[in-house]
Amino acid sequence: MVIYGVYIVSKSGGLIFNHDHNVPKVYLSILFNYPIDLKLVNENKKIVVSFGQHDGIMVGHTLMAVNGITVSGTQLDDGRDALEVIEDKSNYPLTLRFTRPRVTTNEKIFLASMFYPLFALASQLSPEPKSSGIELLEADTFKLQCFQTLTGVKFMIVADPAQTGLENILKRIYEIYADFALKNPFYSLDMPIRCELFESNLQALLEQAEKSSNITHV
């Protein structure tokens, strides 16, 4: 059981905290014939897909290996330039291994702003009066649990579908937030949370939670 990350969204819909706890790396290995239907470019000393898609490989994915030889920066571990190897027709067929990019901070801010109206919409569409909105989203590869405080701050946790006790974990995160963020004299409401004690206690909580199916205390 794995916890992927924690997000805190202010009552106005802004992302004020995010923590990547255990984000899995997804690798895709595909056998290509010449010419490949992807455009690869050198970007920030990495070889990334800038155009096209192929069997799950999309724009932004990073090249990790060619025929099992690891790519470090733009070169293979045997010293050859990776792009030159890929452009040489005589080297085909080639097995290229890619990994998807990590979600950037700007993308997280955008996703948090998208969740806010969805939460409000769910509250309005519910046939039950005074609905709490979205509490749980489940998919094949993850689930998202949400806890909204009386002041409108939303605590969200993304985890493996098999992870249990997420509701209790969120309430413990709220307690840590109250103890180490709200009581911090230098913290202002609805502003990004930058508190070392909050982060260290959150990390300890998540590590303990992964070892237990139903956590109540750290």
Side-chain angles (χ1 to χ4, degrees):
M1 295 182 289
V2 178
I3 294 173
Y4 300 139
V6 173
Y7 304 86
I8 302 177
V9 179
S10 70
K11 62 182 179 180
S12 59
L15 182 67
I16 58 176
F17 180 82
N18 74 89
H19 172 75
D20 291 330
H21 179 64
N22 197 344
V23 181
K25 287 189 175 182
V26 177
Y27 295 102
L28 294 170
S29 294
I30 306 293
L31 180 65
F32 287 89
N33 291 311
Y34 185 87
I36 66 172
D37 51 357
L38 301 171
K39 182 174 177 57
L40 304 178
V41 297
N42 181 350
E43 184 177 293
N44 298 324
K45 297 182 179 180
K46 293 182 179 179
I47 297 176
V48 300
V49 179
S50 65
F51 181 80
Q53 60 181 15
H54 185 104
D55 290 347
I57 299 171
M58 296 178 289
V59 173
H61 278 59
T62 303
L63 180 66
M64 302 300 294
V66 177
N67 284 346
I69 304 174
T70 302
V71 176
S72 299
T74 61
Q75 287 191 323
L76 301 177
D77 281 354
D78 60 11
R80 291 179 295 167
D81 184 278
L83 285 176
E84 291 180 359
V85 171
I86 294 171
E87 292 169 357
D88 188 345
K89 183 178 180 179
S90 65
N91 291 324
Y92 284 80
L94 285 176
T95 298
L96 305 182
R97 189 185 193 199
F98 293 85
T99 185
R100 68 183 181 188
R102 295 178 70 93
V103 179
T104 66
T105 300
N106 286 338
E107 289 171 334
K108 291 176 183 177
I109 293 172
F110 176 75
L111 291 172
S113 67
M114 291 295 292
F115 183 82
Y116 179 79
L118 289 176
F119 187 94
L121 182 63
S123 300
Q124 295 175 10
L125 291 177
S126 173
E128 295 293 328
K130 298 182 179 180
S131 171
S132 60
I134 297 173
E135 291 186 354
L136 178 65
L137 290 175
E138 292 186 286
D140 292 340
T141 57
F142 76 94
K143 64 180 175 181
L144 182 151
Q145 185 94 28
C146 178
F147 167 68
Q148 178 175 243
T149 69
L150 294 176
T151 58
V153 178
K154 297 173 184 61
F155 292 78
M156 295 180 289
I157 189 166
V158 181
D160 183 273
Q163 181 70 44
T164 59
L166 293 182
E167 186 175 355
N168 287 330
I169 297 171
L170 283 173
K171 290 179 180 178
R172 286 288 292 116
I173 293 174
Y174 175 55
E175 293 175 6
I176 294 172
Y177 165 78
D179 287 339
F180 298 103
L182 293 184
K183 293 179 182 179
N184 186 334
F186 300 103
Y187 176 68
S188 300
L189 286 175
D190 290 341
M191 294 299 292
I193 301 172
R194 297 185 178 90
C195 176
E196 186 176 340
L197 282 175
F198 171 74
E199 293 191 29
S200 61
N201 279 271
L202 173 63
Q203 178 72 24
L205 171 68
L206 297 180
E207 290 176 355
Q208 179 65 26
E210 289 182 328
K211 300 175 182 178
S212 172
S213 61
N214 187 15
I215 182 170
T216 54
H217 298 284
V218 178

